[in-house]
């Protein structure tokens, strides 16, 4: 960094080794090194500049994205980056592009659902980007309810082909990223129909555009679905609409790993277990959770640094004003988000382990932990993405007026992030799935079937129903077991209360519908327990580095006690804690904030984000905010001329009382 | 409306007279008629089209705004609209413009702070728009802390002028709307300095641009501060930066109603009470609260109609799927927002009364209710704007993926609305002011000084400290007095608990800082009580129309019980209610949702919004969502050509493995 470091005093105050914390954050020294190297590579290459993109019109913005995608691919080849490095590169470019879907959804779908033969044919083309693919599931009329998709793939035994067709307007594919303008191929989900029989939704590889001139193939109508939320943000992506008019594809383009259609048109299941698809789902959701920690930590980094730069009120006899980070209200809004970023990081790390565990078990045909793993990842996806979306917006507000400027980086971060609450499963729909799993688990408790994984605590039903917290002083709340027991008891009792209430209805399904809002709350309580417990587990590991573990212990307590305070009604109404204990927790929380304060800047430095990646004048590493805000302002196109375009036609006639004759 | 009304069955189910509800919503028959007439005027005039604006670049967008502002002014003159009608017209155009600040801040500032002479000179010019003004208070370095502004206005007795100067970078004016490109004049806030003495911040009328050629006057550097959050949204506004280099203005351009500088440079206070400024503040905040109900109701209208159109899951044997509005989780998220929109409407109406009351008292030199009125409006501004911002985003999520499209109208509504949480007082800073007032009120309880206005309930201290709710069945929660007592007891006990905790600190100020997060919660509890109690008061009026009052009673209960459920921890920890009573409230809430359900569409129809004003494909009156979504998509500039700009340079070389030689 050149020039003055306005935040140096803050950095000097830190009570721990930042470099060691960077390793913890990254997951390993190796992961840190890759990430650090690639981040610098992107940051130092002017081809990846992004500070101008919020003023670009849609077409320019899209072209800009195409250029970056091509340039990135060129660099990946030139530098012989491996898969992980290439992934990091794309993520540090920080501009959603068709390549995200190609690598993140199209390729994995073929890997997961294609036969060996299909993989051999299609993957090499995809790996070299000789074809570009998208993932086309959602339709205008159906998103959450995948089983309700309307596109049809009808087998024609005469020609050994499927006929892909959009029978209604609502059956148009709608939303797939990369589809609108770029993809040459797609994995298309459609109802398989053989001999008049509907076999439900299956995946098909369909070529969409000519590899010669990029024009849509006959029978295909395809385009972009239009502007989306925010400046730049997801408008760099060509989410698309797609209508099929009896498009024919060879039979071998149905993804046939799990089920097949024979030459005769017979529908047969292979001996590959259907559950395999869950493995992919766990993988994708693990990525989403880890992306949540990234997005939240970026916002927190910006808001924390700016809160240390920004001073407002509190000057006495000419002394400087108070840094707003010193206000307890600012701390009470900001530090729980800082703690959440770390919490989500660690639960994301644990999900990586879970994915490996599930994969291993699948290979050994052990499906026993699958339903639990499925519910748990659904819940964590929902919890972390919702908290992150809200958290980014809170960080924006924490920056006062200046947070509303695009140059703060926060508006775009919010707009580009929020769809994570909706895609890969609407967050409420996912929590309802978690709730179903919890109700099933509770109902089986008497039966001797022991709950597994993250629901294992329910096995201690008797204890959890009757335990009462023995917190007597504020500092008792620092003991991990005390916290854990309170969260377990609360989650369990909320689930049990729901289960009890369900029995009052004439049918369980009616009860589930009626009580679904309560069930969602019980699911949230369960998911919060998971995050808290994984944070605590993380701290049982050996963590080297001066002061590093202590800082994480503080953050872990902040995360747990913040949740406890926010939801103290749950803890009180279920009798897990007393009002006095709740207020002791709050007291402890306040004192923890004071402990975080001197380390706050270093704790966000540990994310190791470059100024390029942060893309925020307010979050600059050097804290040199004001001159840069001022500089940025003048770059707006409106400042190209002193007198704005439109003045002569519209403003002058108004000022000169000559509107009557003006052509408007 | 032409064509089919897909929502007709919903409308037929309504159990009340929608036309009468429209009157209640508008405030009076007269208000309804004005509003309805002007809304139609705007909607039917193609010059006010706004469906294309999210794809415009900054310059085009700004020019588009200038055109609309001029055209609107032309129409206002042609149609001889009165002040109220003109205001409605500007608001239905629904595109922030410099005229908002001219009429909403510049003119009122001169009216409120100018002497009679000054008003006579400047107001006629402003009324005819021969000058265009802005309100320039905030600087790069100071927003919340107005007393910390750095711009100076130094009196030069030699020339009888003030010298306006920006001594530092952080003293640049920053944010004022209309300043960037348009305003010819501004009310500029600066430290008044006479004879070396600093008299604090005062307002000055300063000409900024030449009335001949619109160029900035000598010594003035002015421009736009750049892109802000969202598509179109506030980017139609030229929020500006302004730097003064010793700019001279005549002495009589200091706004001198409350204090003056004489020809000799003597600073004197007039006999006009300083408190007068509070009147304006109450007025401005009343507007903000009523705008909150408008913004929230727009979002709720969109989400409610779309939730009745959208079907997902639940098809049995080919029956249509379930309308998502029938899911309890959807209801539990949506209906409290619907109830909040009505609640904010009525509290806004009450604030109009409060403003008149305060004005009357000021004229009679009765300042006794001012501090309470000031705190109460600060709190209501904070409460309603925060809830509205969060509520709009929740409505967007309630629309699933399609809510993320600009054509849903929700992204822009969110982005244009959120700064209301920051401007006219940062919401947390305002709540801290409320808390200060509450602590003062509590501390004076013993002294015989009776609390007034919205704090009057604190006069019943003894009762409120010991009462316990006598709710025994769910339906007891429908009794207004039961609800009111619970909210009063909770708010009071939270304030008292804070007051008690404050005494534990060595100084009250230290305590206030330390406990500020708790104090904010107490302030929120107090403000929620105000909204609930004003809703209840509204229902004590005579409200004509079949079923109208019943619907409002249901919404009032929904609002109160939703808050009670959300904050049940407060009610439990203060011992106002028992866990059983809390769960009875929740049970009652659920049954209220079922009562809202058949009336939901009619309750949003009562807002009487035109499709133009809503600006949402999802919120269309006729529910004809899907064909229109499809149509809208094709209008995106990216669909101008089938093969996108950039394909040949960037995509083709990638597909053809010819990147190495490509110029990127
Ligand atoms: C930016 C973005 C990118 C996307 N990319 C892709 C892509 O590449 N490929 C692709 O195929 N799709 C993509 N999608 C689509 C996405 O997967 C869907 O939007 C998502 O699955 C949600 O479905 P939906 O939109 O139908 O929501 P809906 O299901 O219509 O949700 C509307 C409301 O109904 C509620 N609801 C629905 N069902 C229930 C129920 N059973 N119980 C209670 N409440 C219910 C929801 O909670 C929500 O509040 C993308 C979407 C976005 C926004
Ligand atoms: C769209 C928009 C339009 C505007 N239009 C105008 C205009 O026309 N004219 C004009 O003059 N101004 C305008 N403003 C400026 C606006 O009034 C200020 O942004 C607002 O007053 C907030 O001040 P700030 O930005 O300095 O926030 P800060 O005070 O810097 O807030 C930053 C953070 O510090 C916290 N904080 C600050 N003080 C305290 C404290 N004492 N205790 C605890 N926490 C504290 C806040 O809660 C916040 O989290 C506009 C702003 C916006 C966004
Ligand atoms: Ca443009």
């Amino acid at each position: 960094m050149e020039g003055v470091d306005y935040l140096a005093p803050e950095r000097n105050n830190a009570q721990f080794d930042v470099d060691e914390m960077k390793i913890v954050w990254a997951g390993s020294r190796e992961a840190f090194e890759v990430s650090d190297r690639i981040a610098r590579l992107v940051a130092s290459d002017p081809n990846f500049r992004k500070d101008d993109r919020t003023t670009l019109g849609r077409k320019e913005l899209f072209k800009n994205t195409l250029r970056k995608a091509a340039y990135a691919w060129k660099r990946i080849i030139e530098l012989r980056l491996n898969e992980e490095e290439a992934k990091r590169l794309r993520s540090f470019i920080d501009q959603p592009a068709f390549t995200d879907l190609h690598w993140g959804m199209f390729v994995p779908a073929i890997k997961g659902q294609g036969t060996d033969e299909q993989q051999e044919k299609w993957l090499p083309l995809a790996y070299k980007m000789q074809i570009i693919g998208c993932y086309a599931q959602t339709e205008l009329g159906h998103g959450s309810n995948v089983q309700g998709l309307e596109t049809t793939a009808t087998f024609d035994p005469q020609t050994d082909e499927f006929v892909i067709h959009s029978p209604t307007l609502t059956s148009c594919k709608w939303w797939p990223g990369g589809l609108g303008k770029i993809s040459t191929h797609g994995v298309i989900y459609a109802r398989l129909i053989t001999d008049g029989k509907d076999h439900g939704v299956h995946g098909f590889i369909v070529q969409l555009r000519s590899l010669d001139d990029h024009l849509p193939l006959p029978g295909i109508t395809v385009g972009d679905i239009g502007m989306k939320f925010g400046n730049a943000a997801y408008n760099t992506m060509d989410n698309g609409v797609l209508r099929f008019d009896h498009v024919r594809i060879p039979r071998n383009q149905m993804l046939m790993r799990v089920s097949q259609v024979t030459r005769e048109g017979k529908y047969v299941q292979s001996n590959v277990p259907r559950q395999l698809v869950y493995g992919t789902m766990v993988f994708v959701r693990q990525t989403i959770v880890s992306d949540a920690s990234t997005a939240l930590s970026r916002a927190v980094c910006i808001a924390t640094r700016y809160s240390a730069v920004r001073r407002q009120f509190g000057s006495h006899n000419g002394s400087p004003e108070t840094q707003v980070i010193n206000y307890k209200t600012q701390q009470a809004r900001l530090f729980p988000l800082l703690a959440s970023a770390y919490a989500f990081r660690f639960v994301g790390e644990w999900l990586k382990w879970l994915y490996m565990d599930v994969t291993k078990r699948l290979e050994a045909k052990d499906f026993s932990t699958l339903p639990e793993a499925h519910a748990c990842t659904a819940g964590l996806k929902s919890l972390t993405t919702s908290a992150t979306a809200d958290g980014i917006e809170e960080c924006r507000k924490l920056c006062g007026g200046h947070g509303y400027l695009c140059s703060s980086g926060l508006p775009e971060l919010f707009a580009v992030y929020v769809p994570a609450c909706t895609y890969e499963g609407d967050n409420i729909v996912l929590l309802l799935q978690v709730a179903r799993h919890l109700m099933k688990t509770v109902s089986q408790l008497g039966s001797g079937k022991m709950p597994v994984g993250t629901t294992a605590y329910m096995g201690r039903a008797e204890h959890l129903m009757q335990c009462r917290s023995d917190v007597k002083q504020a500092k008792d709340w620092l003991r991990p077991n005390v916290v854990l027991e309170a969260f377990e008891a609360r989650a369990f009792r909320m689930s049990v209360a729901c289960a009890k209430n369900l029995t009052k209805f004439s049918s369980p399904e009616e009860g589930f519908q009626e009580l679904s809002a309560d069930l969602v709350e019980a699911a949230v309580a369960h998911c919060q327990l998971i995050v808290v417990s994984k944070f605590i587990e993380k701290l049982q590991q050996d963590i080297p580095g001066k002061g590093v573990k202590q800082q994480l212990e503080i953050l872990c307590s902040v995360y747990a006690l913040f949740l406890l305070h926010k939801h103290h009604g749950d803890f009180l109404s279920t009798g897990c804690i007393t009002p006095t204990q709740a207020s002791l927790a709050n007291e402890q929380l306040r004192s923890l904030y004071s402990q975080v304060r001197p380390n706050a800047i270093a704790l966000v430095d540990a994310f190791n984000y470059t100024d390029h990646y942060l893309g925020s004048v307010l979050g600059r590493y050097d804290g040199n905010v004001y001159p840069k805000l001022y500089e940025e302002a003048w770059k707006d196109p409106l400042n190209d001329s002193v007198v704005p375009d439109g003045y002569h036609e519209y403003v002058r006639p108004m000022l000169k009382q000559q509107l009557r004759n003006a052509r408007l």
Side-chain angles (χ1 to χ4, degrees), chain A residues 603-615:
Chain A
L603 285 167
V604 302
D605 285 348
F607 305 145
N608 199 45
Y609 294 138
T610 61
D611 279 349
H612 172 274
Y613 186 57
L614 275 185

PDB file of all heavy atoms in Angstrom, chain A residues 603-615:
ATOM      1  N   LEU A 603      -9.489  -8.068  12.701  1.00  0.00           N
ATOM      2  CA  LEU A 603     -10.358  -9.217  12.413  1.00  0.00           C
ATOM      3  C   LEU A 603     -10.931  -9.163  10.998  1.00  0.00           C
ATOM      4  O   LEU A 603     -11.215 -10.202  10.407  1.00  0.00           O
ATOM      5  CB  LEU A 603     -11.494  -9.309  13.444  1.00  0.00           C
ATOM      6  CG  LEU A 603     -11.069  -9.844  14.815  1.00  0.00           C
ATOM      7  CD1 LEU A 603     -12.168  -9.609  15.862  1.00  0.00           C
ATOM      8  CD2 LEU A 603     -10.713 -11.334  14.744  1.00  0.00           C
ATOM      9  N   VAL A 604     -11.101  -7.973  10.464  1.00  0.00           N
ATOM     10  CA  VAL A 604     -11.556  -7.910   9.060  1.00  0.00           C
ATOM     11  C   VAL A 604     -10.370  -7.933   8.091  1.00  0.00           C
ATOM     12  O   VAL A 604     -10.504  -8.394   6.962  1.00  0.00           O
ATOM     13  CB  VAL A 604     -12.498  -6.714   8.772  1.00  0.00           C
ATOM     14  CG1 VAL A 604     -13.731  -6.765   9.683  1.00  0.00           C
ATOM     15  CG2 VAL A 604     -11.790  -5.387   8.908  1.00  0.00           C
ATOM     16  N   ASP A 605      -9.218  -7.459   8.544  1.00  0.00           N
ATOM     17  CA  ASP A 605      -8.010  -7.610   7.719  1.00  0.00           C
ATOM     18  C   ASP A 605      -7.728  -9.084   7.450  1.00  0.00           C
ATOM     19  O   ASP A 605      -7.185  -9.440   6.402  1.00  0.00           O
ATOM     20  CB  ASP A 605      -6.787  -7.005   8.427  1.00  0.00           C
ATOM     21  CG  ASP A 605      -6.777  -5.477   8.397  1.00  0.00           C
ATOM     22  OD1 ASP A 605      -7.584  -4.888   7.651  1.00  0.00           O
ATOM     23  OD2 ASP A 605      -5.959  -4.872   9.123  1.00  0.00           O
ATOM     24  N   ALA A 606      -8.096  -9.908   8.420  1.00  0.00           N
ATOM     25  CA  ALA A 606      -7.807 -11.344   8.301  1.00  0.00           C
ATOM     26  C   ALA A 606      -8.526 -11.982   7.106  1.00  0.00           C
ATOM     27  O   ALA A 606      -8.138 -13.057   6.658  1.00  0.00           O
ATOM     28  CB  ALA A 606      -8.175 -12.070   9.586  1.00  0.00           C
ATOM     29  N   PHE A 607      -9.552 -11.315   6.588  1.00  0.00           N
ATOM     30  CA  PHE A 607     -10.217 -11.865   5.401  1.00  0.00           C
ATOM     31  C   PHE A 607      -9.297 -11.761   4.178  1.00  0.00           C
ATOM     32  O   PHE A 607      -9.530 -12.406   3.166  1.00  0.00           O
ATOM     33  CB  PHE A 607     -11.524 -11.118   5.105  1.00  0.00           C
ATOM     34  CG  PHE A 607     -12.497 -11.077   6.258  1.00  0.00           C
ATOM     35  CD1 PHE A 607     -13.293  -9.954   6.473  1.00  0.00           C
ATOM     36  CD2 PHE A 607     -12.625 -12.150   7.125  1.00  0.00           C
ATOM     37  CE1 PHE A 607     -14.210  -9.916   7.523  1.00  0.00           C
ATOM     38  CE2 PHE A 607     -13.534 -12.117   8.185  1.00  0.00           C
ATOM     39  CZ  PHE A 607     -14.324 -10.984   8.375  1.00  0.00           C
ATOM     40  N   ASN A 608      -8.316 -10.871   4.289  1.00  0.00           N
ATOM     41  CA  ASN A 608      -7.307 -10.725   3.233  1.00  0.00           C
ATOM     42  C   ASN A 608      -7.878 -10.282   1.888  1.00  0.00           C
ATOM     43  O   ASN A 608      -7.444 -10.742   0.842  1.00  0.00           O
ATOM     44  CB  ASN A 608      -6.557 -12.059   3.062  1.00  0.00           C
ATOM     45  CG  ASN A 608      -5.232 -11.877   2.352  1.00  0.00           C
ATOM     46  OD1 ASN A 608      -4.474 -10.948   2.667  1.00  0.00           O
ATOM     47  ND2 ASN A 608      -4.948 -12.730   1.389  1.00  0.00           N
ATOM     48  N   TYR A 609      -8.871  -9.402   1.921  1.00  0.00           N
ATOM     49  CA  TYR A 609      -9.446  -8.940   0.668  1.00  0.00           C
ATOM     50  C   TYR A 609      -8.630  -7.795   0.079  1.00  0.00           C
ATOM     51  O   TYR A 609      -8.219  -6.885   0.786  1.00  0.00           O
ATOM     52  CB  TYR A 609     -10.891  -8.489   0.882  1.00  0.00           C
ATOM     53  CG  TYR A 609     -11.810  -9.626   1.269  1.00  0.00           C
ATOM     54  CD1 TYR A 609     -12.769  -9.476   2.251  1.00  0.00           C
ATOM     55  CD2 TYR A 609     -11.697 -10.871   0.652  1.00  0.00           C
ATOM     56  CE1 TYR A 609     -13.607 -10.533   2.610  1.00  0.00           C
ATOM     57  CE2 TYR A 609     -12.523 -11.936   1.001  1.00  0.00           C
ATOM     58  CZ  TYR A 609     -13.471 -11.755   1.988  1.00  0.00           C
ATOM     59  OH  TYR A 609     -14.288 -12.791   2.332  1.00  0.00           O
ATOM     60  N   THR A 610      -8.418  -7.850  -1.217  1.00  0.00           N
ATOM     61  CA  THR A 610      -7.754  -6.731  -1.889  1.00  0.00           C
ATOM     62  C   THR A 610      -8.761  -5.589  -2.049  1.00  0.00           C
ATOM     63  O   THR A 610      -9.967  -5.808  -2.046  1.00  0.00           O
ATOM     64  CB  THR A 610      -7.294  -7.132  -3.304  1.00  0.00           C
ATOM     65  OG1 THR A 610      -8.459  -7.488  -4.065  1.00  0.00           O
ATOM     66  CG2 THR A 610      -6.337  -8.311  -3.270  1.00  0.00           C
ATOM     67  N   ASP A 611      -8.245  -4.394  -2.224  1.00  0.00           N
ATOM     68  CA  ASP A 611      -9.135  -3.263  -2.489  1.00  0.00           C
ATOM     69  C   ASP A 611      -9.921  -3.489  -3.782  1.00  0.00           C
ATOM     70  O   ASP A 611     -11.069  -3.064  -3.904  1.00  0.00           O
ATOM     71  CB  ASP A 611      -8.328  -1.949  -2.586  1.00  0.00           C
ATOM     72  CG  ASP A 611      -8.009  -1.390  -1.199  1.00  0.00           C
ATOM     73  OD1 ASP A 611      -8.581  -1.881  -0.196  1.00  0.00           O
ATOM     74  OD2 ASP A 611      -7.170  -0.470  -1.109  1.00  0.00           O
ATOM     75  N   HIS A 612      -9.298  -4.178  -4.730  1.00  0.00           N
ATOM     76  CA  HIS A 612     -10.025  -4.478  -5.967  1.00  0.00           C
ATOM     77  C   HIS A 612     -11.248  -5.330  -5.685  1.00  0.00           C
ATOM     78  O   HIS A 612     -12.348  -5.037  -6.139  1.00  0.00           O
ATOM     79  CB  HIS A 612      -9.122  -5.199  -6.970  1.00  0.00           C
ATOM     80  CG  HIS A 612      -9.858  -5.709  -8.185  1.00  0.00           C
ATOM     81  ND1 HIS A 612     -10.483  -6.946  -8.211  1.00  0.00           N
ATOM     82  CD2 HIS A 612     -10.098  -5.135  -9.387  1.00  0.00           C
ATOM     83  CE1 HIS A 612     -11.063  -7.121  -9.390  1.00  0.00           C
ATOM     84  NE2 HIS A 612     -10.851  -6.040 -10.120  1.00  0.00           N
ATOM     85  N   TYR A 613     -11.057  -6.388  -4.925  1.00  0.00           N
ATOM     86  CA  TYR A 613     -12.164  -7.309  -4.663  1.00  0.00           C
ATOM     87  C   TYR A 613     -13.257  -6.623  -3.848  1.00  0.00           C
ATOM     88  O   TYR A 613     -14.442  -6.754  -4.148  1.00  0.00           O
ATOM     89  CB  TYR A 613     -11.647  -8.554  -3.951  1.00  0.00           C
ATOM     90  CG  TYR A 613     -12.690  -9.632  -3.769  1.00  0.00           C
ATOM     91  CD1 TYR A 613     -13.369 -10.158  -4.875  1.00  0.00           C
ATOM     92  CD2 TYR A 613     -12.998 -10.132  -2.510  1.00  0.00           C
ATOM     93  CE1 TYR A 613     -14.326 -11.149  -4.716  1.00  0.00           C
ATOM     94  CE2 TYR A 613     -13.956 -11.129  -2.346  1.00  0.00           C
ATOM     95  CZ  TYR A 613     -14.622 -11.625  -3.449  1.00  0.00           C
ATOM     96  OH  TYR A 613     -15.574 -12.606  -3.289  1.00  0.00           O
ATOM     97  N   LEU A 614     -12.855  -5.886  -2.817  1.00  0.00           N
ATOM     98  CA  LEU A 614     -13.838  -5.169  -2.003  1.00  0.00           C
ATOM     99  C   LEU A 614     -14.624  -4.179  -2.849  1.00  0.00           C
ATOM    100  O   LEU A 614     -15.823  -4.011  -2.668  1.00  0.00           O
ATOM    101  CB  LEU A 614     -13.153  -4.409  -0.873  1.00  0.00           C
ATOM    102  CG  LEU A 614     -12.849  -5.173   0.405  1.00  0.00           C
ATOM    103  CD1 LEU A 614     -12.297  -4.223   1.445  1.00  0.00           C
ATOM    104  CD2 LEU A 614     -14.076  -5.906   0.937  1.00  0.00           C
ATOM    105  N   GLY A 615     -13.914  -3.486  -3.744  1.00  0.00           N
ATOM    106  CA  GLY A 615     -14.603  -2.543  -4.628  1.00  0.00           C
ATOM    107  C   GLY A 615     -15.354  -1.464  -3.874  1.00  0.00           C
ATOM    108  O   GLY A 615     -16.477  -1.108  -4.231  1.00  0.00           O
TER     109      GLY A 615
END
